[in-house]
Every structure is written in C-alpha cells, then in structure tokens.
Amino acid sequence: MASADAVPAGGGGGVRTASTGAGARGGTTPAGGTRSADPRTDGAPPAPPDAPVPHADAAAPQGPRSGAGAAPGSRPGPPAGAPVRTVPRWVWALPPVGVLALFFLYPLALVVQQSLSPDEGGTSVEPYAEVFASEAFREALSTTVWLAVGATLGCLVLGFVLALVIAFIPFPGGRAVAKFIDVFLSFPSFLITLALLFVYGTVGMANGLWTDVTGAAEGPFHFLTTPWGVLLAEITYFTPFVMRPLLAAFSQLDTAQLEVASSLGARPARIVRQVILPEALPALAAGGSLVLVMCLNEFGIVLFTGAKGVTTLPMLVYSEAILASDYPAACVVAVVNIAISVGLYSLYRVVSRRVGA
C-alpha cells in the first residue's frame, strides 16, 4: 500500500510520496519537484506540463540504410518483398545425368539395338528366339547360376568362421590380418587365379612336389580346370567381401552380452547361434547379395583357370563375339546377363535397406 503525507518544506509546499509497495522507484527532490524513476534523466530540467512527449520510435537511433548511408564494404540487400531467385534442382542433375548417358546408357542402348538386329537386316526378336533355343545358352545359364550360388554359400560359411576367429579369438597378428582384408579387396580376380595356378596347376608346386617324392610322371592335382577349380577360386577371391561387413558388425556388438551368456553357462556354440548370429544376419545378407551379383558377372577367374568345359554367360558373350563373330547373339546373351545382374542388385539394395546394413 502507498500513502501520501503533506510535509511542509522550506521554499514551497512540496508533496513527498512515500511508497511501501515492491518495485517503487519514484522520490522527491529537496525543492519539492518530482524525481524521475529513469536514472538517465536525473539532473535534467523538468519539462513543462503541456510539452509533447516524444515517441519511442522517433528517439531510437536509426542504423545505416542501403545506399549512400551503408557501411563501407557492405552489400545492399534486396528490397523488401522482392522474390528470391533460386536455381531449380533439376538443373544441378543435368551434368551427372549427361555424363552417365554418354558413357553408360548410350553404349547399353547400342547393345540392345544390336540384339534386335539380325544379320538379314531390319528389327526383329529372332536373335532372342535363336539364342534361347540353343543348348549352349541353357548350359551357360545353368552353369552361371549354380557357380554363383555355390560360391556365395561357400563365401558366407568361410567368411563367417574367419570373421569370428579374427574378431573374438585374440592371436598375434590379428590386427594385421584384419587390415590385410581391406587390401585384399583391391586385388584383381585374375591375380588370385594365377596364385592358385602356381600352387595347384599342372606344373604347380603341389604337383612338382608329388612328382619329386613319388617319381610319378605327373601329379594328381588337376581340379583347377574343372568347375570345382573355378568354384574354389571364386570362394577364395570373394570371401573377404563377406568378411568386411561382418567385422564391422562384430565391432559394434556389445561384449557384455557375451559375458552374461558365458557366465550363465552357455557353451560357445550356443553363444554363436543365439547371440552373435542374430547380430550378424544383416551383414551376412548384404555381403551375400553382393557376392552373388559379382559371381554372376565374373569373367577373369573362368578365363585364367583354363577350364575349357566351364562356360558361363560372360564367357559365352566372349566366344560369340570374338571367336564366332556373331554379334547379335553375343548382344542377346549380354542383355540377359545385364537383366539378371540388375534384378539381383535391386534385390541387394532392398535387403540392405530393410536390414539396415
């Protein structure tokens, strides 16, 4: 509450306001005038009673405006309400799409066009009918599929076991082996095939050692020229492509789960089956899908093993185009191979997206 008391002052009857409410700031001067609550106006002469009160906006200092009053080096902004011009997003997509169309889509279109152009001229699906009816194409297709599926299964099993050993069984040089896997991914496929030929080839180290010990005319190792040799070479080369995502998944596995399972009496096989394997399924699915696509298109391994009885779709394209000079038939096989590869790659992307790998 506030109360006002009239107190006689020596020069004129001033009124002093005594305020007991919280936040009251006003006071009186000794001459009876009212003291302002704003400290910035202390000491200024009082304004006449009928003087106009300046507006707050008029007293506020104005900043520099664009134009002559702007600060040196500043760029004037657009006028208020002016539309801001932006480049459409499709403009930025034109350069990469143009490069992709020039170096990939155009040659692919030429392959499709050639597959529809028989030697007699015109446009027809006759080359497709002839290729699909040939026994060589059906054998090449079945050989390609079973080699790709067999190599993928072998890579999954071997890659999972090796990744388990590297990730959970400490041994000297374990980190070096894990880093070597990254380097191994950069090796060309024919280099691995040549290494296998030096070891298991007809005149390789294994056969040479056998003939030196037994005195036989030739060694027993001739499997590299069979489908099993191609399968071994593909498993050897593509296994690291499964191990790399598995090692990344194992590095994020909470080791507390393994310790709890072990303390509860779970055996290693049960820990792997119930704890580690569920965590590794996304990486296995992604790595297996990628290996399947790559095995379907593998050409160097089949060529360098010298397996004459093994003809895959890429080898059939090579033989039809280079050896037989039948370009329409070669383009038909190439289109089929591309269609299978694109379909499996789309499946790989869907699996990777759903499992979060």
Side-chain angles (χ1 to χ4, degrees):
M1 293 181 62
S3 60
D5 298 331
V7 179
V15 179
R16 183 178 63 187
T17 303
S19 177
T20 59
R25 297 180 181 178
T28 57
T29 61
T34 305
R35 186 174 61 188
S36 172
D38 192 348
R40 294 175 296 179
T41 59
D42 288 350
D50 54 350
V53 179
H55 195 271
D57 294 341
Q62 300 294 328
R65 299 180 180 272
S66 60
S74 63
R75 178 179 297 179
V84 180
R85 296 181 179 180
T86 58
V87 180
R89 293 184 178 180
W90 59 269
V91 175
W92 300 105
L94 288 179
V97 170
V99 173
L100 180 65
L102 179 62
F103 292 100
F104 178 74
L105 297 180
Y106 178 67
L108 182 60
L110 291 180
V111 171
V112 176
Q113 180 184 3
Q114 185 67 31
S115 68
L116 297 172
S117 302
D119 296 332
E120 295 80 9
T123 301
S124 174
V125 295
E126 181 180 354
Y128 283 88
E130 293 179 355
V131 169
F132 290 165
S134 65
E135 184 68 22
F137 172 77
R138 291 195 293 268
E139 290 182 359
L141 180 60
S142 61
T143 302
T144 303
V145 171
W146 86 259
L147 278 177
V149 174
T152 302
L153 293 177
C155 291
L156 289 175
V157 175
L158 183 61
F160 183 73
V161 173
L162 293 179
L164 277 178
V165 173
I166 295 175
F168 299 107
I169 300 178
F171 62 93
R175 292 197 177 196
V177 173
K179 292 184 179 297
F180 176 75
I181 292 173
D182 296 334
V183 179
F184 190 89
L185 297 179
S186 63
F187 289 171
S189 60
F190 69 87
L191 184 61
I192 306 302
T193 308
L194 286 177
L196 291 176
L197 286 174
F198 284 133
V199 177
Y200 299 108
T202 304
V203 292
M205 295 172 55
N207 284 326
L209 182 62
W210 180 273
T211 55
D212 291 341
V213 173
T214 62
E218 59 180 12
F221 304 104
H222 301 285
F223 63 90
L224 281 182
T225 58
T226 66
W228 299 107
V230 177
L231 187 64
L232 174 63
E234 290 187 350
I235 292 176
T236 304
Y237 178 70
F238 290 112
T239 295
F241 289 87
V242 176
M243 295 177 61
R244 182 65 266 176
L246 279 175
L247 290 175
F250 290 160
S251 64
Q252 300 178 358
L253 183 64
D254 188 6
T255 56
Q257 301 180 13
L258 306 180
E259 295 174 358
V260 170
S262 179
S263 63
L264 294 177
R267 294 182 177 275
R270 186 176 181 182
I271 294 176
V272 172
R273 186 177 65 254
Q274 296 186 354
V275 180
I276 298 179
L277 185 58
E279 298 291 335
L281 283 179
L284 281 173
S289 302
L290 181 61
V291 169
L292 181 62
V293 174
M294 297 176 69
C295 288
L296 284 172
N297 300 296
E298 183 54 42
F299 174 73
I301 289 179
V302 182
L303 181 64
F304 276 83
T305 52
K308 298 180 180 179
V310 180
T311 303
T312 59
L313 289 180
M315 285 295 297
L316 186 60
V317 173
Y318 174 79
S319 61
E320 291 291 338
I322 304 301
L323 302 180
S325 298
D326 190 354
Y327 294 104
C331 291
V332 169
V333 180
V335 169
V336 173
N337 199 3
I338 291 172
I340 296 175
S341 301
V342 171
L344 288 178
Y345 180 74
S346 301
L347 178 63
Y348 158 71
R349 295 296 300 172
V350 171
V351 171
S352 300
R353 191 181 302 113
R354 290 191 176 182
V355 301

